[in-house]
Each structure stands twice: as structure tokens, then as C-alpha cells.
Amino acid sequence: MNFFLFFVFLLPIFSLADAPEAWQIGFQDPATPIMQGIIDLHHDIVFFMILVLVFVLWMITRTLYHFHYKRNPIPEKIIHGTAIEIAWTITPSLILVLIAVPSFALLYSLDEVVDPAVTIKAIGHQWYWSYEYSDYSQSDDQSIAFDSYMIPDDDLELGQLRLLEVDNRVVVPANTHLRLIITAADVIHSWAVPSLGAKCDAVPGRLNQIPLFIKREGVFYGQCSELCGANHAFMPIVVEAVSLEDYISWVSNKLEEI
């Protein structure tokens, strides 16, 4: 049991990363309040699962021991017990309520979009992502927009992650309320970054949106999470959170390139 508790509670702490690691079991290091809430909810549910597991195993062991045919050769005829039936009905209901309260709070927070300082549009294609920063558009022809392709294995530099690096990262300011509008140009895709607790379907002809508030600077890796064709596994997502000063400098450079 101690070994099991180690894997459930402690291993996620030792598996802190913003990209998947080999043999990783726990969550990636959370970078948003949403992801932190998902991890906390997971731990709460696992706690109740362990309690139920221990109780059920104890009951089964006790029943097998006391009602063995050698110790109890004449079985007792028990039709029902009102007290125990009430207990095994109320107890699971209370457990479900204790789980439902934080889960509903987290679910509703996923849809809450605070007045965003930056809005980014992500468009899924077969098989790459394109991004638009419409907040800085002065006309239809002048806006920050770029495609983000996976870097092939032959072009990877030392230290870069295979199948996860892209040529153009999504640069965003840290500690800032962001809004990501997601759609697709051909088939259904899914924009997912585990460290950010973000996963939203990109549906052709429909605009979905998710809020982001990245609490720290860093580079966060994700991938398309909806089977979208032959190269589904080759359209990664890379989000780089920088300071506000660096973000303003990046936007200025992009505007000069237009």
C-alpha cells in the first residue's frame, strides 16, 4: 500500500516537466490555475478511491475468514438489514457529493473568460497549425499571422525534442489573461497542451474559445489530440510564455516584418 501511495501522490511531484518524459506516469508541472485544479481534483478522487478500496478489501477478507465453511458450517439465513442498507446507500451518495462539488467548480471555471488582454486565433490544418494575433491588426492585410510546422528530424538542433519542436512558436505574455479562439480549416483537430490544462476541439465552421492564464515563463509542448489523418502525430504545439517586456518586443519585431 505504501508503494501504491508513492506512485499516486509523490511521483507527480518528481515528474515536473513541460513536455512528456520517457516512462512518465504523473502529470506535467502545472503552469495555469486550471491545470493545478485538475491535479488537485485528481488527488481528491484518488483519496476516496483508496478509502473505498481498503474498505472493500477489508470486508471481503473478513467475510472469507468468518464465514468459512469450517468456522461456520451452518450458514445463517439473513434476509436483509435495514441499518446496513441505509449505510451503504447514504455513504456512496456523500462521497459522490464531495467529489461533485470541486469538479463542478472546476468545470465552470473552464468556461469563464476574464476580460482578455490578448486574443489569439489558432487554426488547425492538415497537418499544421496557423495563428493570428488580431489585436494588432490595422487592416485586413496587416496582421501578425504565421504557420507553425513541425521541425523534421534532420533539422533538429542539440537539445530539441523530436516530434515536438516547431519553426514558429506561439509567444504569449506570462501572468496575463489570454483568450484562445480555436477553429479548423478542413477536418476536426484538437489544440491540447497538458501543462496549461488546455484541450479544445478545432471544428471547421465553428469558433471555440478557452481562457489561459500562464503563471510562469517557460516553453510548453502539446500536440493535436484528435485523429485528423495520416500526419496526425506530426502537428505539435509549442507555447512560449515570456515577460511582458519581451512580448512587446516580439510584437514590435513582428509588426516591422509585415
Side-chain angles (χ1 to χ4, degrees), residues 216-227:
R216 57 184 172 83
E217 299 178 20
V219 180
F220 311 98
Y221 295 88
Q223 290 177 302
C224 176
S225 297
E226 184 72 34
L227 187 59

Side-chain angles (χ1 to χ4, degrees), residues 48-161:
F48 288 110
M49 288 173 57
I50 293 176
L51 290 182
V52 172
L53 176 64
V54 172
F55 176 73
V56 171
L57 291 177
W58 176 76
M59 287 293 293
I60 292 176
T61 304
R62 186 175 183 276
T63 301
L64 293 175
Y65 178 81
H66 288 287
F67 291 92
H68 193 269
Y69 72 96
K70 291 183 178 179
R71 294 185 181 85
N72 192 20
I74 301 176
E76 298 180 7
K77 295 182 179 180
I78 302 176
I79 299 177
H80 69 275
T82 303
I84 194 172
E85 289 182 2
I86 293 175
W88 71 40
T89 302
I90 294 179
T91 303
S93 301
L94 293 177
I95 293 176
L96 291 176
V97 170
L98 292 175
I99 294 175
V101 171
S103 64
F104 277 120
L106 179 62
L107 186 63
Y108 286 118
S109 66
L110 294 174
D111 295 329
E112 183 180 0
V113 179
V114 182
D115 187 20
V118 178
T119 298
I120 304 171
K121 185 177 182 181
I123 306 171
H125 304 265
Q126 290 180 310
W127 288 273
Y128 65 95
W129 292 94
S130 62
Y131 299 94
E132 298 178 5
Y133 289 70
S134 57
D135 291 341
Y136 313 106
S137 301
Q138 298 180 358
S139 66
D140 294 338
D141 298 331
Q142 294 183 347
S143 62
I144 299 177
F146 54 87
D147 298 329
S148 181
Y149 288 89
M150 185 191 75
I151 298 178
D153 293 351
D154 297 337
D155 297 334
L156 287 175
E157 298 179 358
L158 184 63
Q160 289 186 325
L161 301 176

Side-chain angles (χ1 to χ4, degrees), residues 21 24-25 27 31 51 71 78 82 100 105 115 125-126 131 142 159 161 170 207 215 218 232 238-239 247:
E21 294 184 347
Q24 181 176 348
I25 298 178
F27 294 102
L51 290 182
R71 294 185 181 85
I78 302 176
T82 303
D115 187 20
H125 304 265
Q126 290 180 310
Y131 299 94
Q142 294 183 347
L161 301 176
V170 182
L207 295 178
K215 299 184 295 183
H232 158 68
V238 182
V239 177
Y247 175 74

